[in-house]
């Protein structure tokens, strides 16, 4: 999994720590870039703001996107990604606490590739992350960049 | 044209006064008289001409023969010879009345007057013509007096006129001759006229008598006497006329005869119609009586109607109001009838109403007539209130009446406004609830995940330091967080069921129960449970929600039969109050009916978690779903004797009257 990159968009430091821990415990050693709000995520993707000058030919293999974010929320990040040529095909997995039908359908309408409800049990969560890493980083064939 | 009129009028009068025979006679007499007069005049003229010719011939002869003698005597002034010569002539020619010899200067030299007996009679003039030198010789002239013909002839010696001689011829014979002619002609005329009159009489008898008869016949016919035939007499034309008249008479008689028959038939017909009319009038009178009754009934209906009823004419003038309208507007009938209906409207409508009416009269188009409209009305005291107005128009005797039915909408409007306020409040509450649910699902779960995750991290990383009891505590923390997550999920599910929209469809309950049974069996394949699921159970409902109901009930049964070595779960239906009551029955732990009141309350549990896990939300969800379907849910059980949960999807016929219902109702309200 070398050269592969995961973009984790998560504002809650606890969640960030637990997700990174789950990734580590699942044996996923890819580089993980963490953006702590929607604006930072977009800056990273488009090489703007704090990430000005970043080599934007390098794009995440998969983006784990939380919906509840400060500044620009997850759905808006997703829409802007889909509106831009450089990011419109990037795989995005929505990670959310919600199981509201409305949230789920809105995400798919905004062209999320997957919707995952984070379980409370960390053991279950680790298993979920392991499967996600395995699927998106290994099984899935990403769109050619 | 004026001339024709002036001539026509007297002719017309003549024709009117005189009969045709008189005209004929007069014309004939007139014709004869004119002819005779002409003949007489011609005869007299001829007689006179021949007489004078004769005299003149004699005169010529006289003057030729005598003038020489007379000239000689004159030349020598032999008066005596002249006198005797004249006497001789006169003696020999008795019709010469007088002879005079004049000198050249016209003076009389000799004047010998006629016959004895009338010698005093002076014939002609006493003065002769004056002969001048310039006068041509050979003067020879005739002149006439009443009784005489005067012949004046020159006396010449050697072609010189020395005097004149005048002979006066007697005209007596001529006059006698003329008198004779006149007399003759008079007689002839008389005779001819008499003949003419006789002829006219005959002609008129021949021609006018038949005409008179015809005229009399025609007059009879004219007076309607068609029985006497028209006699054909007189000339050919008259006969033709008479025959024509006769044919006309016969034809007329035929026509009159037919007419009389027709008149008789028509009279009969009219009499029949009259009888019909009389009968109809009777019927009408009865109908009018009935109509009056119906009218008075209608009037009392109008008067007792709850809605205000106002009629106006084409111009918007109020014709009548019923008692409800009086109360509604606060006007007495005499205060409003005859006034413009715009009196009952607030300002903007008041001014526009006349325009509306005029426009409707012209175009026949209106937003009011034939529809119900919500409008504002004005009471006598000036207060404006909402009404519903239905206007219809009716035509009677060419007059249009608009009938307005007015309902006071004040109460309804108020209730509506209140309802709208409530709906708004409810909507706001729902929105809030939604936001709350969203918040719960997101924000309450995140800390639980942290608690769970870091507890797990501690167990993973620091197990040795924690020791046995430390690890046990952390396991409890983890379990609690998971339980709380479950509680949150159930709570959300409950709230979602209340909010979600119902989708009615035919639901195959047997199939749903079957698939749930298979699923729970899969989750614990080691358990031996007998499922009895009745086939073909289907009903109207929301499939997704009924799935939740059966899931909860069957899972409960599965759970509470866990300690039963020979578990038995049954799904079926019974009739209850005329509607199907579906049930899920098990032979599990059951419960004490004394606590059944807590059965369907949220987070209420009748068993300790250590014995049977669960959140206590399941049955609350079941009850909510069944209530949303308009059905009932209840249970029967006893401790260790199993439990049966019943539900219906529609209201029974004897709603709430059964003992079971009362029992269950008590539990539900608790």
């Amino acid at each position: 999994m070398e050269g592969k990159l995961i973009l984790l968009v998560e504002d809650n430091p606890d969640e960030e720590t637990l997700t990174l821990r789950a990734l580590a415990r699942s044996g996923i050693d890819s580089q993980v870039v963490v953006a702590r709000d929607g604006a930072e995520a977009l800056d990273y993707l488009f090489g703007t703001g704090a990430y000005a000058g970043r080599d934007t030919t390098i794009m995440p293999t998969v983006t784990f996107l939380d919906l509840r974010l400060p500044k620009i929320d997850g759905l808006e990040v997703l829409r802007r990604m889909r509106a831009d040529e450089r990011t419109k095909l990037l795989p995005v997995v929505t990670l959310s606490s919600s199981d509201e039908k409305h949230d789920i359908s809105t995400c798919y309408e905004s062209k999320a590739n997957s919707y995952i409800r984070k379980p409370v049990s960390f053991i279950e969560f680790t298993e979920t992350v392991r499967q996600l890493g395995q699927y998106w980083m290994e099984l899935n064939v990403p769109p050619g960049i | 044209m004026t001339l024709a009129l002036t001539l026509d009028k007297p002719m017309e009068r003549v024709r009117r006064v005189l009969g045709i025979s008189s005209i004929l006679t007069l014309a004939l007499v007139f014709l004869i008289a004119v002819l005779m007069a002409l003949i007489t005049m011609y005869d007299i003229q001829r007689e006179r001409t021949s007489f004078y010719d004769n005299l003149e011939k004699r005169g010529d002869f006289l003057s030729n023969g005598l003038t020489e003698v007379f000239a000689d005597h004159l030349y020598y002034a032999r008066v005596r010879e002249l006198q005797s010569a004249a006497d001789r002539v006169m003696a020999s020619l008795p019709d010469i009345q007088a002879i005079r010899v004049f000198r050249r200067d016209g003076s009389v030299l000799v004047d010998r007057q006629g016959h004895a007996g009338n010698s005093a009679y002076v014939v002609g003039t006493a003065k002769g013509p004056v002969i001048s030198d310039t006068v041509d010789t050979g003067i020879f002239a005739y002149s006439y007096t009443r009784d005489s013909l005067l012949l004046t002839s020159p006396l010449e010696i050697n072609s010189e006129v020395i005097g004149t001689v005048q002979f006066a011829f007697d005209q007596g014979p001529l006059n006698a001759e003329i008198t004779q002619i006149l007399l003759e002609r008079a007689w002839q005329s008389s005779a001819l006229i008499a003949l003419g009159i006789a002829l006219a009489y005959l002609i008129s008898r021949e021609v006018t008598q038949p005409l008179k008869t015809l005229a009399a016949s025609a007059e009879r016919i004219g007076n309607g006497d068609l029985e006497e035939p028209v006699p054909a007499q007189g000339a050919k034309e008259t006969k033709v006329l008479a025959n024509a008249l006769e044919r006309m008479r016969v034809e007329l008689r035929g026509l009159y005869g037919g007419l009389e028959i027709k008149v008789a038939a028509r009279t009969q017909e009219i009499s029949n119609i009259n009888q019909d009319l009389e009968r109809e009038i009777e019927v009408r009178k009865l109908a009018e009586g009935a109509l009056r009754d119906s009218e008075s009934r209608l009037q009392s209906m109008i008067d007792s109607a709850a809605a205000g009823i106002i009629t106006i004419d084409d111009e918007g003038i109020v014709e009548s109001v019923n008692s409800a309208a009086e109360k509604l507007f606060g006007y007495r009938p005499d205060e409003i009838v005859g006034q413009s209906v715009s009196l009952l409207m607030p300002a903007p409508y008041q001014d526009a109403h006349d325009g509306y009416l005029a426009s409707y009269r012209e175009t026949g188009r209106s937003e009011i007539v034939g529809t119900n409209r919500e409008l504002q009305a004005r009471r006598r005291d000036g207060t404006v209130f909402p009404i519903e107005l239905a206007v219809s128009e009716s035509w009677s005797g060419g007059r249009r009446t608009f009938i307005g039915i007015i309902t006071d909408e004040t109460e309804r409007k108020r209730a509506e406004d209140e309802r709208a306020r409530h709906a708004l409040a409810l909507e706001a509450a729902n929105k809030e609830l939604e936001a709350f649910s969203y918040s719960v699902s997101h924000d309450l779960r995140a800390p639980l995940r942290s608690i769970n995750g870091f507890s797990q991290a501690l167990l993973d990383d620091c197990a040795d330091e924690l020791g046995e009891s430390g690890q046990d505590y952390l396991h409890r923390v983890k379990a609690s967080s998971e339980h709380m997550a479950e509680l949150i999920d159930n709570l959300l599910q409950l709230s979602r069921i209340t909010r979600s929209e119902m989708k009615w469809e035919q639901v195959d309950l047997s199939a749903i129960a079957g698939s749930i049974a298979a699923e729970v069996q899969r989750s614990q394949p080691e358990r031996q449970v007998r499922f009895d699921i009745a086939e073909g159970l289907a009903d109207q409902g929301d499939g997704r929600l009924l799935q939740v109901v059966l899931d909860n009930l069957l899972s409960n049964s599965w759970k509470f039969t866990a300690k039963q070595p020979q578990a038995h779960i049954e799904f079926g239906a019974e009739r209850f109050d005329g509607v199907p009551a579906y049930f899920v029955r098990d032979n599990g732990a059951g419960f004490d009916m004394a606590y059944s009141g807590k059965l369907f309350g949220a987070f209420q549990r009748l068993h300790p978690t250590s014995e049977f896990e669960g959140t206590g939300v399941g049955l609350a969800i079941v009850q909510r779903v069944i209530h949303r379907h308009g059905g009932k849910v209840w249970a029967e059980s006893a401790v260790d004797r199993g439990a049966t949960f019943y539900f219906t999807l529609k209201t029974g016929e004897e709603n709430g009257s059964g003992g079971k219902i009362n029992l269950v109702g008590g539990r539900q309200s608790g």
Side-chain angles (χ1 to χ4, degrees), chain B residues 104 130-137 160-161:
Chain B
R104 210 181 136 90
V130 176
I131 307 300
S132 70
D133 288 342
T134 60
V135 171
D136 284 341
T137 54
E160 188 190 349
V161 179

Side-chain angles (χ1 to χ4, degrees), chain B residues 33-216:
Chain B
V34 166
L35 274 173
M36 287 313 288
L38 284 174
I39 290 167
T40 309
M41 276 162 71
Y42 175 73
D43 281 352
I44 289 169
Q45 192 57 38
R46 201 187 51 189
E47 194 63 33
R48 184 172 278 157
T49 308
S50 91
F51 182 79
Y52 286 143
D53 278 356
N54 196 25
L55 274 184
E56 279 165 18
K57 272 177 198 147
R58 281 178 59 204
D60 286 352
F61 169 71
L62 272 173
S63 60
N64 285 340
L66 292 173
T67 50
E68 261 182 57
V69 176
F70 277 77
D72 270 358
H73 291 315
L74 183 61
Y75 189 75
Y76 294 109
R78 294 181 296 239
V79 175
R80 206 175 279 270
E81 278 81 2
L82 271 172
Q83 283 176 345
S84 62
D87 288 342
R88 277 196 304 280
V89 171
M90 282 170 65
S92 62
L93 297 169
D95 61 336
I96 291 180
Q97 290 174 305
I99 296 174
R100 290 191 194 93
V101 177
F102 303 102
R103 292 190 190 89
R104 210 181 136 90
D105 60 357
S107 58
V108 178
L109 188 64
V110 175
D111 186 358
R112 301 309 288 181
Q113 289 288 328
H115 306 286
N118 61 354
S119 59
Y121 182 72
V122 176
V123 178
T125 54
K127 193 166 167 59
V130 176
I131 307 300
S132 70
D133 288 342
T134 60
V135 171
D136 284 341
T137 54
I139 289 171
F140 191 83
Y142 296 99
S143 63
Y144 304 93
T145 66
R146 198 177 67 85
D147 296 318
S148 316
L149 172 68
L150 300 177
L151 173 63
T152 308
S153 185
L155 297 173
E156 296 172 46
I157 294 290
N158 300 326
S159 297
E160 188 190 349
V161 179
I162 54 170
T164 52
V165 62
Q166 190 178 56
F167 302 96
F169 293 94
D170 185 9
Q171 278 203 112
L174 176 64
N175 289 344
E177 192 70 25
I178 287 171
T179 307
Q180 184 63 39
I181 290 170
L182 282 172
L183 272 173
E184 237 170 65
R185 289 294 180 265
W187 277 111
Q188 285 167 358
S189 296
S190 301
L192 272 173
I193 283 167
L195 195 69
I197 287 170
L199 196 65
Y201 173 73
L202 282 175
I203 290 172
S204 77
R205 226 179 62 162
E206 189 65 19
V207 175
T208 62
Q209 195 54 47
L211 278 179
K212 273 185 187 162
T213 316
L214 270 181

Side-chain angles (χ1 to χ4, degrees), chain B residues 174-367:
Chain B
L174 176 64
N175 289 344
E177 192 70 25
I178 287 171
T179 307
Q180 184 63 39
I181 290 170
L182 282 172
L183 272 173
E184 237 170 65
R185 289 294 180 265
W187 277 111
Q188 285 167 358
S189 296
S190 301
L192 272 173
I193 283 167
L195 195 69
I197 287 170
L199 196 65
Y201 173 73
L202 282 175
I203 290 172
S204 77
R205 226 179 62 162
E206 189 65 19
V207 175
T208 62
Q209 195 54 47
L211 278 179
K212 273 185 187 162
T213 316
L214 270 181
S217 294
E219 198 163 3
R220 271 204 310 280
I221 291 168
N223 288 336
D225 177 6
L226 299 171
E227 293 314 307
E228 201 164 318
V230 179
Q233 18 170 265
K236 187 178 143 198
E237 287 84 354
T238 319
K239 276 182 184 149
V240 168
L241 196 59
N243 287 337
L245 198 61
E246 172 66 8
R247 275 201 304 280
M248 187 183 87
R249 181 190 70 84
V250 171
E251 244 168 68
L252 271 177
R253 195 176 55 180
L255 281 176
Y256 276 140
L259 199 62
E260 267 166 25
I261 290 165
K262 275 182 197 161
V263 166
R266 183 57 58 87
T267 309
Q268 183 59 41
E269 211 171 287
I270 287 169
S271 142
N272 289 345
I273 288 170
N274 270 341
Q275 280 173 7
D276 286 352
L277 276 177
E278 270 166 27
R279 275 197 296 277
E280 198 169 310
I281 285 167
E282 276 303 310
V283 171
R284 272 236 183 131
K285 272 183 187 160
L286 287 173
E288 271 170 19
L291 193 62
R292 268 196 300 278
D293 291 350
S294 151
E295 257 175 22
S296 83
R297 269 202 302 278
L298 191 63
Q299 189 57 50
S300 59
M301 272 165 71
I302 288 170
D303 279 339
S304 59
I309 299 173
I310 295 179
T311 62
I312 63 170
D313 70 6
D314 225 10
E315 304 289 332
I317 304 301
V318 174
E319 290 180 337
S320 73
V321 291
N322 72 342
S323 3
E326 283 171 44
K327 284 196 203 87
L328 205 52
F329 289 97
Y331 284 101
R332 288 198 313 275
D334 59 299
E335 289 174 319
I336 187 67
V337 169
Q339 302 288 318
S340 170
V341 74
S342 59
L343 205 62
L344 306 176
M345 303 168 186
Y349 303 104
Q350 199 166 34
D351 297 339
H353 190 256
D354 284 350
Y356 290 153
L357 267 179
S359 155
Y360 182 66
R361 280 198 301 271
E362 274 169 35
T363 63
R365 270 180 293 145
S366 168
E367 290 173 9

Side-chain angles (χ1 to χ4, degrees), chain A residues 7-12 16 33-45 50-51 63-74 77:
Chain A
L7 174 61
L8 174 65
V9 188
E10 178 58 73
D11 66 311
N12 186 329
E16 179 195 326
V33 175
V34 180
R36 287 174 183 85
D37 61 52
E40 197 185 336
L42 292 171
D43 276 346
Y44 177 78
L45 288 167
Y51 291 96
T63 300
F64 294 146
L65 182 66
D66 187 15
L67 282 181
R68 301 261 282 182
L69 293 170
K71 294 184 188 174
I72 298 171
D73 74 15
V77 171

